[in-house]
Amino acid sequence: MKPSPHDTLSPTRRLIALATLILAGEAIFVPPYHPGRYFRTTLLDAFGIDEFQLGEAQAWYGLAAMICYALGGPLADRFSPRLLMAGSILATGLGSLYMATLPSLFGLKCLFAYWGASTILAFWSPLARATRALGGEGGQGKAFGVVDGGRGFVALCVAVASTAVVGGFLADTPDGTRPSTDDTVSAMRWLMIGYTAFSVVAAVVVWCGVPRSLGAGKQKGPKLSAATLAGLLKRPAIWLQAAVVLTAYCAFKTFDYYGHYCEDLYGLSKAQSSMLTAWLTGLRIVAAFGAGWVADRFFGAAGTARLCFGLSAVAFGLLYAAPAGGWFALVVGNLAVAWSASCALRGVYFATLQESSVPASLTGSAAGLVSFVGFTPDIFWPLLAGWLVESAREAGDVAAGYQRLWLLLAGLAIAGLVAAAFLRRQTVTPVRNPL
C-alpha cells in the first residue's frame, strides 16, 4: 500500500505544514470577519448603518457560502489543497481594497456575497482534508484542535496589531475631544488596506509551506460519485455532526456582539471593547488545543463536544440572569467561558469524521455536506441577533435584547448537547496515536 503524505513527510516538514495550515485557516477570514468582530461600532459608524443592516449584508455572505459548501466538497477531493487555498486567500484579500472605498450598502452586500464564495468554495473543504491527512489515524482531535487553536493565536496577533492602528485614529485627544467621523472613516480604510497586505503575504506562505501532496492525489477508499455522495447523505452521523456544528456556530458568531454588549450595558469605549475582545480571542488558543487533547486521550470528539455544550449552556444561562449594568467581572467571566466552549467545539467537531468512519477519500465531500447545513447561521444569525438587539434598542431597553439573545443561545447549547450525545452512539472508538 502506498504510504500517505502524513507518513512520508519529515517531522520538520510536518511542523511547517501545520503552521501554514494555521496561518491559512485564519488569514482567509480576516477581511470578512475581523472588522465586525473587533471594530463593530467603528464599522457601523464608518458606513452609516445599524446592526440589522450589517446583518443583511452578512446574510448575503451566508447565502453564497451555503451554495459553495456543497460545491467545494467534491472540488477538494479532486484538486491539490495547496493550489485551492492559496488562490482563495489572495482573492479574499483583494476584496478588502473594495471595502476600503466604503461602498454603499448594496455594494457592501455584493462584497459579502463575493467573500462567501472566495472563502468557502475552494478553501474550507481543502483545509479540512489537509488537516485530516496531517492528523493521521489517531491524532484527529489534536490536529483539528491545534489548527483551530493556532488560528486563535493568529487572530489575536492580527487583532492586537489592528487595535493599535485603529486606536491611533480613534483615541481621545488630550483635551478630551472625541474622534470625528473623518477619523472613523480613515481608520476603516487603513484597516482594510492592511488586511489586503496581510492576505497577499499569507497566500505566498501557503503556496510555499503546504506540501503539494498533502491531502491531494488518490487515496485508499471509495471514489467520489453520485452513489458515494448518496451514501454519505444516508449516514445519521453526518446529520448529527451538522446539528453539532450549527448549534456551536451560533455561539461562535455571537462573539461579534460581545464588544457592543459591553459598550451598551457597561459603558466601555470603542477602543476598550476592541481590546477586550482582542484579548478574549487568546482563550481560543488554549480552548481548541485543550479540547483536541482531551478528545484524543479521554472522551473522543463527540464526548468532548457534549461537555463543551454543557459549559456553554450554563454560561449563557448566567448571562441571561445577570442584572443589566452590574456584576461586570462576573459577566466578563461568563463571556470568557462561553467563548472558550465555542472555540473548544470548533477544535473537535470535524474530528468526528474519523470517529464516524468516513473514508479519507471522501473527507472533502463529507465536510462540505456537514458545512452546508452546519454553517447556515451565516445566513440567519446576523439577521436574528441584529433584530433582537436593534428592536430592543428602539423600544428603549437594549438590555432586554441581549437577555433574549443569551436565553436563545442557552437553548441552542442544550440542543447541541443532545445531538452530541446521539453522535457519541454513532461513532467508533478512535485509535490513540498522539501527534
Short mmCIF file of all heavy atoms in Angstrom, two decimals, residues 309-342:
data_model
loop_
_atom_site.label_atom_id
_atom_site.label_comp_id
_atom_site.label_asym_id
_atom_site.label_seq_id
_atom_site.Cartn_x
_atom_site.Cartn_y
_atom_site.Cartn_z
N PHE A 309 -20.79 21.74 25.31
CA PHE A 309 -22.15 22.28 25.22
C PHE A 309 -22.73 22.49 26.61
O PHE A 309 -23.47 23.46 26.84
CB PHE A 309 -23.04 21.34 24.42
CG PHE A 309 -22.96 21.53 22.92
CD1 PHE A 309 -22.61 20.49 22.09
CD2 PHE A 309 -23.24 22.76 22.36
CE1 PHE A 309 -22.54 20.66 20.71
CE2 PHE A 309 -23.18 22.95 20.99
CZ PHE A 309 -22.82 21.90 20.16
N GLY A 310 -22.42 21.59 27.54
CA GLY A 310 -22.91 21.76 28.90
C GLY A 310 -22.38 23.03 29.55
O GLY A 310 -23.13 23.80 30.17
N LEU A 311 -21.07 23.28 29.38
CA LEU A 311 -20.48 24.52 29.91
C LEU A 311 -21.09 25.75 29.25
O LEU A 311 -21.35 26.76 29.91
CB LEU A 311 -18.97 24.50 29.68
CG LEU A 311 -18.15 23.50 30.50
CD1 LEU A 311 -16.71 23.47 30.02
CD2 LEU A 311 -18.22 23.86 31.98
N SER A 312 -21.31 25.67 27.95
CA SER A 312 -21.88 26.79 27.22
C SER A 312 -23.29 27.11 27.71
O SER A 312 -23.65 28.28 27.90
CB SER A 312 -21.90 26.46 25.73
OG SER A 312 -22.34 27.56 24.97
N ALA A 313 -24.11 26.08 27.95
CA ALA A 313 -25.47 26.30 28.42
C ALA A 313 -25.48 27.00 29.77
O ALA A 313 -26.28 27.92 30.00
CB ALA A 313 -26.20 24.96 28.51
N VAL A 314 -24.59 26.60 30.67
CA VAL A 314 -24.52 27.23 31.99
C VAL A 314 -24.08 28.69 31.87
O VAL A 314 -24.66 29.59 32.49
CB VAL A 314 -23.55 26.45 32.90
CG1 VAL A 314 -23.31 27.22 34.20
CG2 VAL A 314 -24.10 25.06 33.21
N ALA A 315 -23.05 28.95 31.06
CA ALA A 315 -22.53 30.31 30.92
C ALA A 315 -23.58 31.26 30.34
O ALA A 315 -23.78 32.38 30.85
CB ALA A 315 -21.28 30.30 30.04
N PHE A 316 -24.26 30.84 29.29
CA PHE A 316 -25.28 31.71 28.69
C PHE A 316 -26.48 31.88 29.62
O PHE A 316 -27.11 32.94 29.65
CB PHE A 316 -25.73 31.16 27.34
CG PHE A 316 -24.74 31.41 26.23
CD1 PHE A 316 -24.22 30.35 25.50
CD2 PHE A 316 -24.32 32.70 25.93
CE1 PHE A 316 -23.30 30.58 24.48
CE2 PHE A 316 -23.41 32.94 24.92
CZ PHE A 316 -22.90 31.87 24.19
N GLY A 317 -26.79 30.84 30.40
CA GLY A 317 -27.86 30.96 31.37
C GLY A 317 -27.55 31.99 32.44
O GLY A 317 -28.41 32.79 32.84
N LEU A 318 -26.29 32.04 32.90
CA LEU A 318 -25.88 33.02 33.90
C LEU A 318 -25.85 34.43 33.31
O LEU A 318 -26.17 35.40 33.99
CB LEU A 318 -24.52 32.65 34.46
CG LEU A 318 -24.49 31.40 35.36
CD1 LEU A 318 -23.06 31.04 35.73
CD2 LEU A 318 -25.33 31.63 36.62
N LEU A 319 -25.46 34.55 32.04
CA LEU A 319 -25.50 35.86 31.39
C LEU A 319 -26.94 36.38 31.31
O LEU A 319 -27.20 37.58 31.48
CB LEU A 319 -24.88 35.78 29.99
CG LEU A 319 -23.36 35.69 29.93
CD1 LEU A 319 -22.90 35.37 28.51
CD2 LEU A 319 -22.73 37.00 30.39
N TYR A 320 -27.86 35.48 31.03
CA TYR A 320 -29.28 35.87 30.98
C TYR A 320 -29.75 36.37 32.34
O TYR A 320 -30.52 37.34 32.42
CB TYR A 320 -30.12 34.68 30.54
CG TYR A 320 -31.60 34.87 30.72
CD1 TYR A 320 -32.33 35.68 29.85
CD2 TYR A 320 -32.28 34.24 31.77
CE1 TYR A 320 -33.69 35.87 30.02
CE2 TYR A 320 -33.64 34.43 31.94
CZ TYR A 320 -34.35 35.24 31.07
OH TYR A 320 -35.69 35.42 31.25
N ALA A 321 -29.27 35.74 33.40
CA ALA A 321 -29.73 36.10 34.75
C ALA A 321 -29.00 37.30 35.32
O ALA A 321 -29.45 37.89 36.31
CB ALA A 321 -29.55 34.90 35.68
N ALA A 322 -27.86 37.69 34.74
CA ALA A 322 -27.07 38.80 35.29
C ALA A 322 -27.83 40.12 35.18
O ALA A 322 -28.44 40.40 34.15
CB ALA A 322 -25.74 38.90 34.56
N PRO A 323 -27.83 40.93 36.23
CA PRO A 323 -28.52 42.23 36.16
C PRO A 323 -27.84 43.18 35.20
O PRO A 323 -26.62 43.20 35.10
CB PRO A 323 -28.42 42.74 37.61
CG PRO A 323 -27.22 42.07 38.17
CD PRO A 323 -27.17 40.71 37.53
N ALA A 324 -28.63 43.95 34.46
CA ALA A 324 -28.09 44.89 33.48
C ALA A 324 -27.25 45.96 34.17
O ALA A 324 -27.69 46.58 35.14
CB ALA A 324 -29.23 45.54 32.70
N GLY A 325 -26.04 46.14 33.68
CA GLY A 325 -25.16 47.17 34.21
C GLY A 325 -24.43 46.82 35.48
O GLY A 325 -23.67 47.62 36.01
N GLY A 326 -24.61 45.61 36.00
CA GLY A 326 -23.96 45.22 37.24
C GLY A 326 -23.16 43.93 37.08
O GLY A 326 -23.27 43.23 36.08
N TRP A 327 -22.34 43.63 38.09
CA TRP A 327 -21.56 42.39 38.14
C TRP A 327 -20.67 42.25 36.90
O TRP A 327 -20.62 41.19 36.28
CB TRP A 327 -22.47 41.18 38.25
CG TRP A 327 -23.33 41.13 39.47
CD1 TRP A 327 -23.39 42.06 40.46
CD2 TRP A 327 -24.27 40.11 39.82
NE1 TRP A 327 -24.30 41.70 41.41
CE2 TRP A 327 -24.87 40.50 41.05
CE3 TRP A 327 -24.69 38.93 39.23
CZ2 TRP A 327 -25.83 39.74 41.69
CZ3 TRP A 327 -25.66 38.17 39.86
CH2 TRP A 327 -26.21 38.55 41.08
N PHE A 328 -19.96 43.31 36.55
CA PHE A 328 -19.20 43.29 35.30
C PHE A 328 -18.14 42.19 35.28
O PHE A 328 -17.95 41.52 34.26
CB PHE A 328 -18.52 44.66 35.08
CG PHE A 328 -17.77 44.75 33.78
CD1 PHE A 328 -18.43 44.59 32.57
CD2 PHE A 328 -16.40 44.98 33.78
CE1 PHE A 328 -17.73 44.66 31.36
CE2 PHE A 328 -15.70 45.07 32.58
CZ PHE A 328 -16.36 44.90 31.38
N ALA A 329 -17.46 41.98 36.40
CA ALA A 329 -16.43 40.94 36.45
C ALA A 329 -17.04 39.56 36.20
O ALA A 329 -16.48 38.74 35.46
CB ALA A 329 -15.72 40.97 37.80
N LEU A 330 -18.22 39.32 36.79
CA LEU A 330 -18.89 38.03 36.59
C LEU A 330 -19.34 37.88 35.13
O LEU A 330 -19.24 36.80 34.54
CB LEU A 330 -20.10 37.91 37.52
CG LEU A 330 -20.92 36.63 37.40
CD1 LEU A 330 -20.08 35.42 37.76
CD2 LEU A 330 -22.16 36.70 38.31
N VAL A 331 -19.82 38.97 34.55
CA VAL A 331 -20.26 38.95 33.16
C VAL A 331 -19.09 38.63 32.23
O VAL A 331 -19.20 37.78 31.34
CB VAL A 331 -20.90 40.30 32.78
CG1 VAL A 331 -21.04 40.43 31.27
CG2 VAL A 331 -22.28 40.43 33.43
N VAL A 332 -17.96 39.29 32.43
CA VAL A 332 -16.78 39.02 31.60
C VAL A 332 -16.33 37.58 31.78
O VAL A 332 -15.95 36.91 30.82
CB VAL A 332 -15.64 39.99 31.95
CG1 VAL A 332 -14.34 39.57 31.25
CG2 VAL A 332 -16.01 41.41 31.55
N GLY A 333 -16.41 37.07 33.02
CA GLY A 333 -16.05 35.68 33.27
C GLY A 333 -16.92 34.71 32.49
O GLY A 333 -16.43 33.73 31.91
N ASN A 334 -18.23 34.97 32.47
CA ASN A 334 -19.13 34.09 31.73
C ASN A 334 -18.98 34.24 30.22
O ASN A 334 -19.13 33.26 29.48
CB ASN A 334 -20.58 34.35 32.15
CG ASN A 334 -20.95 33.65 33.44
OD1 ASN A 334 -21.03 32.43 33.49
ND2 ASN A 334 -21.14 34.43 34.49
N LEU A 335 -18.69 35.47 29.77
CA LEU A 335 -18.38 35.64 28.35
C LEU A 335 -17.15 34.81 27.98
O LEU A 335 -17.10 34.20 26.91
CB LEU A 335 -18.14 37.12 28.04
CG LEU A 335 -19.35 38.06 28.06
CD1 LEU A 335 -18.90 39.50 27.89
CD2 LEU A 335 -20.37 37.68 26.99
N ALA A 336 -16.17 34.81 28.87
CA ALA A 336 -14.94 34.04 28.61
C ALA A 336 -15.23 32.54 28.57
O ALA A 336 -14.70 31.82 27.70
CB ALA A 336 -13.91 34.34 29.70
N VAL A 337 -16.07 32.05 29.48
CA VAL A 337 -16.41 30.62 29.48
C VAL A 337 -17.19 30.25 28.23
O VAL A 337 -16.92 29.23 27.57
CB VAL A 337 -17.23 30.26 30.74
CG1 VAL A 337 -17.77 28.83 30.64
CG2 VAL A 337 -16.37 30.41 31.99
N ALA A 338 -18.18 31.08 27.87
CA ALA A 338 -18.99 30.79 26.68
C ALA A 338 -18.13 30.81 25.42
O ALA A 338 -18.26 29.94 24.54
CB ALA A 338 -20.12 31.81 26.56
N TRP A 339 -17.24 31.78 25.32
CA TRP A 339 -16.35 31.87 24.16
C TRP A 339 -15.39 30.69 24.12
O TRP A 339 -15.16 30.09 23.07
CB TRP A 339 -15.60 33.19 24.22
CG TRP A 339 -14.49 33.35 23.22
CD1 TRP A 339 -13.17 33.56 23.50
CD2 TRP A 339 -14.60 33.34 21.80
NE1 TRP A 339 -12.44 33.67 22.33
CE2 TRP A 339 -13.30 33.55 21.28
CE3 TRP A 339 -15.67 33.19 20.91
CZ2 TRP A 339 -13.04 33.59 19.91
CZ3 TRP A 339 -15.40 33.23 19.54
CH2 TRP A 339 -14.11 33.43 19.06
N SER A 340 -14.83 30.32 25.27
CA SER A 340 -13.91 29.18 25.33
C SER A 340 -14.60 27.89 24.90
O SER A 340 -14.04 27.08 24.17
CB SER A 340 -13.33 29.03 26.74
OG SER A 340 -12.59 30.17 27.12
N ALA A 341 -15.83 27.71 25.36
CA ALA A 341 -16.58 26.50 25.00
C ALA A 341 -16.85 26.44 23.50
O ALA A 341 -16.73 25.38 22.88
CB ALA A 341 -17.89 26.44 25.79
N SER A 342 -17.22 27.58 22.91
CA SER A 342 -17.50 27.58 21.47
C SER A 342 -16.22 27.34 20.67
O SER A 342 -16.23 26.67 19.63
CB SER A 342 -18.16 28.89 21.05
OG SER A 342 -17.30 30.00 21.26
#
